[in-house]
């Protein structure tokens, strides 16, 4: 603090020390009086204002590391034939898309969304399968929207840790009176049904590790279906059965696992179709594609309630690129 003084120099021959003593005495008295007044005060001054509460913590989205976390919705999407593939909606906006084998060697998509990044429309919505139940167990009590299920599977779906959203639980949520093709508005479903905030299925995100092999494109096959990707310089374009499907996928996971006969047979087509079951627990090998390169890794999920870890041969985590993830499930 700077102290300014306006005192002039004393006149020659005049003594000033007595005045100084008087001034100092007066100052001491004033200080003492102020101290006494402070000690005897019955009315303390106002308390200092309290600090504002800290802002709420906004967790990053554990599904694809884009934005913040929101409640979770999974949707079973049809993927059979050129007509169906031409009317698909919402796959490009999904955080995670699983490509799964069903009866007859064909494929279906299971798309996972968080509430903060929803498209306006998703579909065509089709029926649930046995594979969906343990696969989704790692996400907690999320909503699963599907058009129906064969009778033997219904009790398992009802006992699963799922909020089943079907034309029976909410017929108004499905377009076209839930007659195929039928679509859903995911905003409406998450507003009407309880769900849980997005939970990591084991994915970790970060910079690409060293190594990897350059790989610009690749196609994988099931007995009656195919899916392929092409690196466009930043993300991957996806093609289904040779036809362009969507763009913008940041990481492609090719998970090699066992696909075995399922516990149920579907007679809806007028003939028996033996369903298949994809075993998503256990361990095995996988390939991870990101940034135009491929890494061979190991996957592990011993606990159905836990996520799937992906590790490099040295045991370190294989980080995914930030953005949507496509998981291709093949033998």
């Amino acid at each position: 603090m700077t102290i300014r003084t306006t005192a002039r120099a004393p006149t020659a021959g005049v003594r000033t020390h007595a005045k100084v003593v008087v001034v100092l005495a007066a100052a001491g008295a004033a200080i003492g009086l102020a101290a006494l007044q402070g000690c005897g005060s019955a009315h303390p001054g106002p308390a200092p204002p309290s600090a504002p509460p800290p802002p709420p913590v906004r967790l990053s989205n554990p599904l694809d590391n884009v934005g913040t976390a929101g409640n979770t919705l999974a949707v079973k999407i049809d993927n059979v034939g050129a007509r169906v593939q031409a009317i698909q909606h919402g796959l490009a906006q999904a955080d995670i898309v699983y490509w799964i084998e069903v009866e007859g060697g064909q494929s279906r998509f299971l798309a996972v969304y968080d509430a903060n990044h929803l498209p306006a429309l998703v579909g065509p919505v089709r029926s649930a399968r046995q594979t969906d139940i343990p696969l989704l167990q790692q996400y907690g009590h999320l909503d699963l929207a599907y058009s129906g299920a064969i009778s033997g599977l219904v009790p398992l779906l009802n006992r699963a840790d799922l909020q089943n959203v079907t034309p029976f639980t909410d017929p108004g949520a499905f377009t076209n009176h839930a007659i195929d093709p039928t679509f859903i508005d995911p905003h409406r479903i998450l507003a009407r049904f309880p769900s849980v905030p997005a939970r990591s299925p084991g994915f970790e995100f970060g910079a690409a590790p060293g190594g990897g092999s350059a790989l610009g494109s690749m196609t994988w096959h099931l007995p009656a279906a195919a899916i392929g990707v092409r690196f466009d310089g930043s993300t991957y374009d996806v093609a289904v059965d040779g036809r362009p499907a969507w763009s913008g996928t940041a990481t492609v996971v090719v998970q090699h696992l066992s696909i075995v006969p399922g516990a149920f047979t579907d007679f809806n087509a007028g003939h028996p179709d033996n369903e298949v079951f994809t075993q998503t627990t256990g361990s095995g090998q996988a390939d991870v594609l990101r940034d135009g390169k491929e890494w061979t890794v190991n996957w592990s999920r011993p606990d159905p309630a836990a996520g799937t870890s992906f590790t490099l041969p040295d045991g370190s985590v294989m980080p995914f690129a930030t953005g949507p993830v496509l998981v291709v499930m093949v033998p």
Side-chain angles (χ1 to χ4, degrees):
M1 180 176 65
T2 302
I3 300 176
R4 297 182 60 195
T5 178
T6 56
R8 297 181 180 179
T11 306
V14 178
R15 294 174 178 248
T16 59
H17 66 278
K19 186 181 295 184
V20 171
V21 171
V22 172
V23 171
L24 290 175
I31 293 171
L33 178 61
L36 288 174
Q37 289 175 338
C39 291
S41 174
H43 303 284
S50 59
V57 177
R58 297 180 65 84
L59 301 176
S60 61
N61 184 356
L63 301 180
D64 62 5
N65 203 37
V66 176
T68 55
N71 287 9
T72 318
L73 167 68
V75 186
K76 201 60 183 283
I77 299 176
D78 196 1
N79 189 42
V80 178
R83 181 189 68 83
V84 166
Q85 292 162 7
I87 61 174
Q88 287 171 335
H89 284 276
L91 287 167
Q93 292 78 28
D95 299 79
I96 303 169
V97 176
Y98 294 94
W99 188 64
I100 305 170
E101 183 175 350
V102 294
E103 62 279 356
Q106 297 174 334
S107 68
R108 292 282 191 275
F109 286 122
L110 181 62
V112 181
Y113 301 85
D114 84 281
N116 292 330
H117 308 93
L118 295 175
L121 201 66
V122 175
V125 181
R126 286 303 298 269
S127 53
R129 296 294 191 277
Q130 183 185 357
T131 297
D132 304 334
I133 297 173
L135 175 58
L136 293 176
Q137 189 175 349
Q138 60 194 318
Y139 290 94
H141 188 77
L142 83 173
D143 295 341
L144 172 60
Y146 57 95
S147 62
I150 60 175
S151 58
L153 183 60
V154 171
L156 295 182
L157 287 164
N158 291 337
R159 291 197 298 268
D161 190 21
L162 297 168
Q163 174 64 53
N164 293 281
V165 183
T166 71
F168 301 98
T169 60
D170 188 357
F174 294 77
T175 67
N176 197 28
H177 303 286
I179 299 172
D180 182 45
T182 186
F183 300 83
I184 61 163
D185 176 352
H187 298 83
R188 171 174 175 163
I189 287 177
L190 281 168
R192 289 172 59 89
F193 295 94
S195 180
V196 295
R199 189 167 95 182
S200 173
F203 302 167
E204 297 194 30
F205 299 87
S213 303
L215 184 66
S217 63
M218 180 61 74
T219 299
W220 300 271
H221 295 270
L222 296 173
I227 191 168
V229 298
R230 182 184 63 83
F231 186 61
D232 65 8
S234 57
T235 58
Y236 292 88
D237 302 325
V238 181
V240 177
D241 298 335
R243 290 177 284 272
W246 74 89
S247 300
T249 294
T251 304
V252 180
V253 180
V254 185
Q255 191 173 354
H256 300 281
L257 28 63
S258 296
I259 301 176
V260 299
F264 307 101
T265 300
D266 188 0
F267 294 91
N268 291 331
H271 58 84
D273 275 333
N274 295 321
E275 293 195 350
V276 297
F277 176 64
T278 300
Q279 296 178 328
T280 55
T281 56
S283 61
Q285 193 175 77
D287 304 298
V288 175
L289 283 65
R290 56 167 294 178
D291 307 313
K293 289 186 174 183
E294 177 189 36
W295 285 261
T296 298
V297 304
N298 300 309
W299 69 267
S300 177
R301 185 186 168 209
D303 181 358
T308 307
S309 64
F310 296 88
T311 54
L312 292 160
D314 64 3
S316 60
V317 170
M318 174 66 209
F320 293 1
T322 291
V325 179
L326 168 64
V327 182
V328 175
M329 294 183 160
V330 291

